[in-house]
Amino acid sequence: MKKFFTSDVLIIGGGTAGLFAAIRLSELNPQIKILIVDKADIRRSGCLAAGVNALNAYIGKNHTPEDYVNYAITDAHGIASRKLLHTMAQRLNHVTKVVERLGLVIETDSEGNYVERGWRNVKINGENIKPILADAVKRLPNVKIFNHVNITDFFRDGDKIIGAYGFSTREKIFYGFTVKATLIATGGASGIYLPNHAGGSRHQIWYPPFNTGAGYAMGIRAGAEMTTLEMRFVALRCKDTIAPTGTLAQGVGAAQINSRGELYQKNYGNTTSERVFAVTSENLAGRAPCYLKTVGISAEQEKFLYDAYLNMSPAQTLRWIETNQTPRNFNVEICGTEPYIIGGHTAAGYWVDENRRTTLQNLYAAGDVAGGCPQKYVTGAFAEAEIVAEKISETLNEIKMPAQIDFDASEFEKFFENDSAFTIEELEVAMQTTMDEYAGGLTQNYRFNERQLNLAAKNIERRVENLSENLHAADMYDLLKIYELRERLTVAKVLIEHLKARRETRWAGFAQNLDYPNRDEAFNLFINSITTDGKTKIIFRELGR
Amino acid sequence: MISIDRKKCVGCGKCIDICPGNLLELKNENVCAFCRDVRDCWGCCACVKICPVNAICYQLSADLGGAGAKLFAHDSKTKLIWEIIKLDGEKIFLEVDKRQANKF
Ligand SMILES: Cc1cc2nc3c(=O)[nH]c(=O)nc-3n(C[C@H](O)[C@H](O)[C@H](O)COP(=O)(O)OP(=O)(O)OC[C@H]3O[C@@H](n4cnc5c(N)ncnc54)[C@H](O)[C@@H]3O)c2cc1C
């Protein structure tokens, strides 16, 4: 069965950015009709499902938005947009106030100022941040929420985006949404590479395994310009649970040490990628494993750590207690993760202007799906959502309501009829193994050369992409898994082209091109791409915008 | 990974709605929740928190150093009480006050 809806605005992905955009847009003009479509339930979907530890992007006392911009550009080794960062940074403290008003608990001192954790963080109780946002959105009469509807592609009219379509994750219902303006806010992509635990705990990863790069893939297929996909994000995480380490580093000041007990980080520098590179290098030099030094912290500090992790990665607290290897008595082993594509940490994603307009008309992007503007985190996603909401509300009157669009559901139906020699899981592993081995995955210490990248491209196409057309779906959940695989494949192919185009090594912790092992100032530029009919064209753009 | 106690599950379906990965489904004529594949669990514990009868717990798999301890959650407006039941039956309660920020 097909169902059709029309509205003013479509928000694809009811996550951090998506929900905040709906809140701001409704505040600006409660007459605007908004549809929010999420593949899961907005109360606990996306990055915020388990909760977060702190608001990682904030301008502390005695600092300015410009300081934040400079910090982010340094951390990105130069590859970031000053303009985009600036428009975001200016709003960080304002959106923090807004989310506090919605009900988020933020620690304040006796004078009512936020308690800072370093100059860029504020302390919160982040466990319920997603339900708080969802409750606020549910109160808005102009917003209609579609939970458990997975979007697969945009509706296009030439260069214009006029909505999107997809399917229910539960029943055989296909949905079409026709609108004046669309915000893509589906987050980043995990699962393109072999994950940390390839076997029984394949989804014990840091980035949500259910953010599968749908937004990037839809943009790529529609011919949107993408930027800096080659700046993959490798996170430094607690071994086994893959829980964040920032809480340990910033909360109790834990330093990195190797298995000989040596402090080594000063030899490598202190950007995000350099901290990862430090661990990879120590491991390769025979000084594995590496740890965060927590031995000797107080009982009180330990209790605070338990609480902090329960609010964000409960597995870590369980592990400490279950194994009796508590952080007071045992240092916490650390490791790198599989490479993720996340525009909220690096600069990978849609190429957008200051208003977060993509290169496709009436399509906006915010949060982890949007590029050029790293170090966004939660509040940066909020800031971008506000920018989008303001621009949409300003321009909506100028846009004519498009006629309702139909779509061909046989694209989905065919998977129920297919007869495949392979399972979805087998092809997923084939993709992940190829990317891991030939395109610089975790087991390769993030290293690759050009010949390997060419092999990766060939294997992805021949071994996986062609076969994925014939996969069989027994139910709607299978259909979801097939589309998730296809999204990742689409992103993987363009990612390989980006990796090939950056003939240097810029962020050694995230990626090392062994043919070009050094930084090359000739690559002080953005690597962008547009894909047409499956062919990706690379475009070099200057940094100064 | 999560595990669901079939004897406790009342089939209310709350976990099925809340899972960010659409991993749970009702089976046995809609009386009991099942996880489609525990290998696909992210460990976010959304289902653990929302289950009204504590039929769902989170456990560390063997490859993560787990030995069978169970993590339950008792959620209310002002606090979230986590309960760890170790293999030998020892129970540990950890209470997080929602009105207070994390110290770290
Ligand atoms: C485990 C973890 C801990 C973090 N901790 C912190 C922290 O302590 N402090 C901090 O500031 N930042 C933290 N971050 C970063 C921050 O949470 C993210 O950068 C931010 O939430 C991203 O927002 P988003 O809106 O882009 O993505 P999300 O909030 O993930 O939203 C994406 C939404 O799109 C939906 N979706 C995806 N595909 C589709 C589709 N095809 N159709 C329909 N819907 C779809 C998803 O279900 C999801 O709801 C953390 C991130 C993670 C993963």
Side-chain angles (χ1 to χ4, degrees):
Chain A
M1 192 207 320
K2 284 200 269 188
K3 286 191 180 174
F4 296 96
F5 295 86
T6 52
S7 188
D8 292 321
V9 178
L10 171 65
I11 297 177
I12 308 173
T16 317
L19 295 187
F20 208 81
I23 293 168
R24 180 71 183 137
L25 202 47
S26 307
E27 188 180 69
L28 288 165
N29 183 352
Q31 307 304 322
I32 295 178
K33 295 262 175 293
I34 304 168
L35 308 176
I36 298 178
V37 185
D38 201 285
K39 70 194 281 190
D41 185 312
I42 62 163
R43 287 172 299 166
R44 289 281 180 190
S45 60
C47 288
L48 307 182
V52 288
N53 174 235
L55 296 180
N56 286 346
Y58 182 79
I59 316 293
K61 282 190 289 291
N62 311 323
H63 283 272
T64 63
E66 208 46 38
D67 293 339
Y68 196 89
V69 172
N70 290 332
Y71 154 72
I73 289 179
T74 306
D75 200 76
H77 296 218
I79 309 300
S81 158
R82 188 166 279 280
K83 264 194 202 165
L84 293 183
L85 281 166
H86 200 80
T87 49
M88 170 195 68
Q90 279 176 325
R91 289 172 183 260
L92 291 174
N93 293 14
H94 161 70
V95 297
T96 303
K97 274 267 173 272
V98 175
V99 70
E100 185 184 31
R101 232 180 287 136
L102 294 177
L104 186 75
V105 171
I106 307 183
E107 183 152 314
T108 48
D109 62 20
S110 52
E111 280 153 34
N113 298 316
Y114 294 145
V115 174
E116 294 167 18
R117 186 181 87 173
W119 68 269
R120 298 186 304 270
N121 279 220
V122 290
K123 296 182 185 180
I124 61 171
N125 185 309
E127 187 278 326
N128 54 3
I129 185 168
K130 194 71 205 291
I132 286 173
L133 290 171
D135 283 349
V137 168
K138 281 190 203 160
R139 288 194 292 267
L140 302 170
N142 55 319
V143 176
K144 190 171 164 57
I145 300 160
F146 293 82
N147 285 322
H148 304 289
V149 173
N150 185 62
I151 296 292
T152 58
D153 262 309
F154 294 123
F155 283 145
R156 267 191 284 170
D157 176 11
D159 250 5
K160 237 185 257 156
I161 297 301
I162 50 174
Y165 65 102
F167 54 83
S168 158
T169 61
R170 306 175 152 188
E171 322 156 79
K172 228 183 202 175
I173 302 177
F174 308 108
Y175 287 88
F177 303 97
T178 309
V179 292
K180 292 181 184 170
T182 303
L183 167 61
I184 185 83
T186 47
S190 63
I192 292 174
Y193 284 83
L194 212 55
N196 283 75
H197 311 280
S201 302
R202 62 190 181 196
H203 276 182
Q204 190 79 37
I205 60 181
W206 170 71
Y207 203 67
F210 320 117
N211 280 2
T212 52
Y216 302 133
M218 288 161 61
I220 289 166
R221 280 194 295 271
E225 185 166 335
M226 309 302 284
T227 189
T228 324
L229 295 186
E230 77 284 3
M231 187 179 181
R232 313 173 306 175
F233 181 62
V234 175
L236 199 61
R237 290 296 177 258
C238 302
K239 178 89 173 35
D240 294 333
T241 60
I242 318 298
T245 48
T247 312
L248 293 165
Q250 300 196 37
V252 300
Q256 290 188 21
I257 53 168
N258 60 29
S259 59
R260 297 181 187 167
E262 298 156 344
L263 293 160
Y264 55 78
Q265 207 201 307
K266 58 181 181 311
N267 307 334
Y268 299 94
N270 197 25
T271 64
T272 308
S273 78
E274 283 165 346
R275 287 195 298 270
V276 178
F277 185 62
V279 173
T280 309
S281 306
E282 289 296 305
N283 289 349
L284 286 170
R287 298 187 284 269
C290 294
Y291 300 89
L292 283 173
K293 190 169 179 294
T294 53
V295 167
I297 62 170
S298 70
E300 191 187 35
Q301 284 179 310
E302 185 168 273
K303 165 74 176 117
F304 290 156
L305 284 180
Y306 289 170
D307 289 356
Y309 278 93
L310 285 171
N311 270 356
M312 152 184 74
S313 295
Q316 183 62 30
T317 303
L318 176 62
R319 192 181 188 285
W320 275 323
I321 291 176
E322 172 171 20
T323 58
N324 240 334
Q325 301 196 354
T326 69
R328 281 177 77 189
N329 302 309
F330 289 83
N331 293 326
V332 178
E333 192 176 329
I334 50 177
C335 65
T337 63
E338 92 200 39
Y340 307 115
I341 309 295
I342 319 174
H345 279 65
T346 73
Y350 277 86
W351 182 242
V352 290
D353 69 8
E354 292 97 279
N355 292 308
R356 271 55 180 179
R357 279 187 299 211
T358 69
T359 55
L360 303 174
Q361 258 188 68
N362 303 336
L363 177 69
Y364 296 77
D368 286 358
V369 86
C373 184
Q375 308 282 345
K376 265 183 264 201
Y377 305 104
V378 169
T379 33
F382 289 164
E384 290 198 326
E386 271 207 353
I387 294 170
V388 169
E390 287 167 19
K391 196 68 199 171
I392 289 183
S393 128
E394 198 184 302
T395 54
L396 204 63
N397 277 340
E398 299 157 20
I399 305 172
K400 230 177 75 216
M401 185 64 213
Q404 188 180 296
I405 300 280
D406 195 4
F407 60 98
D408 186 1
S410 65
E411 168 195 334
F412 303 124
E413 298 275 9
K414 80 163 204 214
F415 289 103
F416 297 107
E417 318 295 325
N418 272 351
D419 192 14
S420 169
F422 300 101
T423 63
I424 305 164
E425 181 178 343
E426 282 163 342
L427 293 195
E428 182 177 291
V429 172
M431 166 188 67
Q432 292 177 338
T433 312
T434 291
M435 292 303 288
D436 179 75
E437 290 176 348
Y438 293 132
L442 171 62
T443 71
Q444 305 302 308
N445 298 298
Y446 316 115
R447 297 163 169 191
F448 51 82
N449 64 39
E450 224 163 75
R451 276 91 55 215
Q452 288 177 300
L453 291 177
N454 288 332
L455 276 172
K458 229 180 255 153
N459 283 359
I460 288 290
E461 194 162 320
R462 191 176 53 85
R463 289 199 190 163
V464 197
E465 201 179 26
N466 296 346
L467 296 176
S468 74
E469 285 300 316
N470 300 322
L471 282 169
H472 171 71
D475 55 20
M476 295 311 278
Y477 181 71
D478 278 354
L479 193 63
L480 176 66
K481 297 294 286 178
I482 291 173
Y483 272 81
E484 290 179 344
L485 172 70
R486 287 158 53 102
E487 285 149 14
R488 287 172 165 136
L489 286 168
T490 303
V491 180
K493 283 176 62 179
V494 182
L495 166 62
I496 293 168
E497 296 310 315
H498 276 250
L499 288 168
K500 276 165 66 178
R502 190 169 280 287
R503 297 184 162 181
E504 63 156 356
T505 294
R506 171 88 35 172
W507 315 278
F510 298 162
Q512 281 181 71
N513 185 334
L514 296 177
D515 292 323
Y516 308 95
N518 300 313
R519 173 168 163 157
D520 180 349
E521 300 310 321
F523 281 92
N524 283 340
L525 38 78
F526 285 114
I527 291 175
N528 287 9
S529 66
I530 294 179
T531 302
T532 327
D533 298 328
K535 280 258 165 299
T536 299
K537 190 177 128 224
I538 293 291
I539 305 160
F540 297 105
R541 295 220 186 264
E542 289 182 7
L543 288 174
R545 52 170 266 162
Chain B
M1 62 173 185
I2 55 152
S3 82
I4 304 174
D5 185 338
R6 310 248 142 89
K7 289 201 254 8
K8 282 201 209 160
C9 175
V10 292
C12 70
K14 286 188 173 163
C15 58
I16 286 139
D17 288 339
I18 208 74
C19 174
N22 291 290
L23 295 179
L24 299 160
E25 58 182 335
L26 277 180
K27 271 197 189 163
N28 296 359
E29 293 176 5
N30 291 345
V31 296
C32 193
F34 281 78
C35 185
R36 295 178 204 272
D37 192 334
V38 288
R39 292 176 303 167
D40 287 337
C41 173
W42 185 30
C44 74
C45 292
C47 59
V48 173
K49 292 171 193 167
I50 208 168
C51 177
V53 294
N54 288 118
I56 311 180
C57 69
Y58 175 80
Q59 295 184 291
L60 287 171
S61 320
D63 58 345
L64 307 180
K70 295 176 172 174
L71 178 68
F72 292 95
H74 310 276
D75 200 2
S76 70
K77 241 194 149 50
T78 53
K79 50 190 168 181
L80 184 57
I81 301 171
W82 296 87
E83 178 184 4
I84 296 175
I85 306 181
K86 287 193 169 179
L87 216 50
D88 60 7
E90 186 195 351
K91 287 187 181 179
I92 294 167
F93 291 91
L94 296 155
E95 191 178 308
V96 184
D97 188 337
K98 292 188 180 177
R99 294 160 300 187
Q100 302 224 307
N102 287 147
K103 286 287 164 283
F104 296 148

